[in-house]
Amino acid sequence: MEKNFYEILGIPTNAKPNEVSAAYRKLVLKYHPDRIKDPKEKSAAEETLKEITEAYNTLSNWKLRSEYDKTLSQPKAAEKSPQEKAKEYFAQAMEHYKKGEMKAAESLFAFILKLTPQDSASQFYLGIAKLYSPLTRMEGAKLVEGALKADPYHPEWFITYAKILKKFKQEIRAKKVLEEGLKANPHDFSIPEFIKSGFSQVENGTSKDGGILGGIFGKKS
C-alpha cells in the first residue's frame, strides 16, 4: 500500500509545523545523494528525496495540508481513476495559479503529472509556476517548451509564455515563441492580436537557436 505524506515523513497526522520541519531536515540528511557513492543507491536516494520533498511541500503549507487532510478523511468508496483525480486536482491547481499562489500550484501540478504523466496542460503550467523562481527557472523553461512541442495547438499557452519572457526582458525569445505559435495555429487570431498590442513585429525566418527549444535562459540571443 502506498504511503501517505505523514508516513513518508514518519510523523503523526497532528504533527506541529516545527515537527514537520524537523522530520524533513532529518530525512534530507539521511537520503541526500551527495552522501552516497554507489550509483544505484544514489539513484534510489534521489527518488526517495523527491517523495520526501513533495510530502514536506504539502504538509508545511497549511492550506495544502488542509486540502490533503480532507482526502485522507474521505471514505474510500469507489476508487477514482487517475484521470478523474487529475481533473479534480487540476481545477484546484488552476485556482492557486490564478491567485498567484505559485508554490501551491506547483505542488499540485507536479502531483497531477505523477497520476497522468502525459498531461501536457499540467506540464505547461507546472513549468510556468517554476519560471517565477530563479532556482527552478531553467527546469521551468524545459517543461514549458516540452509541453508546447508535444501539444502546440493552444495559442493561449504561447501568449502566456511570451508575456513572461517579455517580463524577463527576453523579447527576442518571446517573438520566436510567438512565431512557433503562429506556425502551429495559422488560423488563430489571438496571437496576431497580441503581437499588435505587445510587439511591433515578429521576426521572419527560422531562428538560429532552433526555435523555442534553443533554451531561453541558457543561451542569449
Side-chain angles (χ1 to χ4, degrees):
M1 185 176 178
E2 188 176 343
K3 290 183 178 181
N4 64 42
F5 287 161
Y6 291 98
E7 291 169 337
I8 289 173
L9 294 184
I11 56 176
T13 55
N14 62 348
K16 297 178 180 178
N18 63 316
E19 293 174 318
V20 175
S21 298
Y24 172 69
R25 288 194 296 269
K26 182 179 178 181
L27 290 170
V28 167
L29 286 174
K30 181 179 179 181
Y31 291 101
H32 200 287
D34 291 347
R35 297 168 60 91
I36 302 170
K37 294 182 179 180
D38 182 85
K40 289 185 179 180
E41 291 182 6
K42 182 185 284 286
S43 178
E46 288 173 349
E47 291 303 313
T48 300
L49 193 58
K50 286 181 182 178
E51 292 182 355
I52 292 167
T53 301
E54 183 184 0
Y56 173 73
N57 286 341
T58 298
L59 299 184
S60 62
N61 181 304
W62 71 268
K63 196 167 186 178
L64 286 179
R65 182 174 178 175
S66 177
E67 292 174 357
Y68 180 73
D69 286 347
K70 289 177 184 176
T71 67
L72 294 180
S73 61
Q74 289 173 353
K76 294 184 179 180
E79 182 70 20
K80 293 182 179 179
S81 69
Q83 289 74 20
E84 290 174 320
K85 292 178 182 177
K87 186 176 181 180
E88 291 180 1
Y89 282 118
F90 186 82
Q92 294 176 26
M94 287 303 294
E95 285 184 20
H96 289 300
Y97 173 80
K98 290 174 182 177
K99 293 176 182 177
E101 299 168 351
M102 293 304 170
K103 280 295 179 185
E106 183 179 327
S107 294
L108 285 172
F109 285 129
F111 183 67
I112 293 168
L113 283 175
K114 282 192 170 185
L115 294 172
T116 52
Q118 304 303 318
D119 188 339
S120 296
S122 292
Q123 179 180 331
F124 175 80
Y125 285 107
L126 173 60
I128 292 294
K130 285 181 177 291
L131 286 176
Y132 283 88
S133 170
L135 296 176
T136 57
R137 194 162 289 164
M138 287 291 290
E139 181 186 356
K142 290 179 181 178
L143 287 167
V144 169
E145 293 172 1
L148 291 176
K149 185 178 180 181
D151 191 3
Y153 306 111
H154 298 273
E156 69 278 11
W157 292 3
F158 288 93
I159 292 173
T160 297
Y161 192 26
K163 285 180 179 178
I164 294 175
L165 289 173
K166 188 177 181 185
K167 179 180 178 181
F168 292 146
K169 310 299 183 185
Q170 296 277 336
E171 292 199 17
I172 293 176
R173 294 285 186 189
K175 290 175 182 178
K176 290 173 182 176
V177 166
L178 294 173
E179 284 181 349
E180 297 294 331
L182 283 171
K183 289 176 186 176
N185 304 276
H187 303 297
D188 177 74
F189 294 103
S190 59
I191 294 177
E193 286 298 320
F194 177 70
I195 292 171
K196 287 180 183 178
S197 65
F199 295 91
S200 58
Q201 63 179 14
V202 176
E203 295 176 343
N204 294 320
T206 304
S207 58
K208 293 181 181 179
D209 59 6
I212 61 173
L213 297 176
I216 63 165
F217 298 108
K219 182 178 178 182
K220 293 183 179 179
S221 298

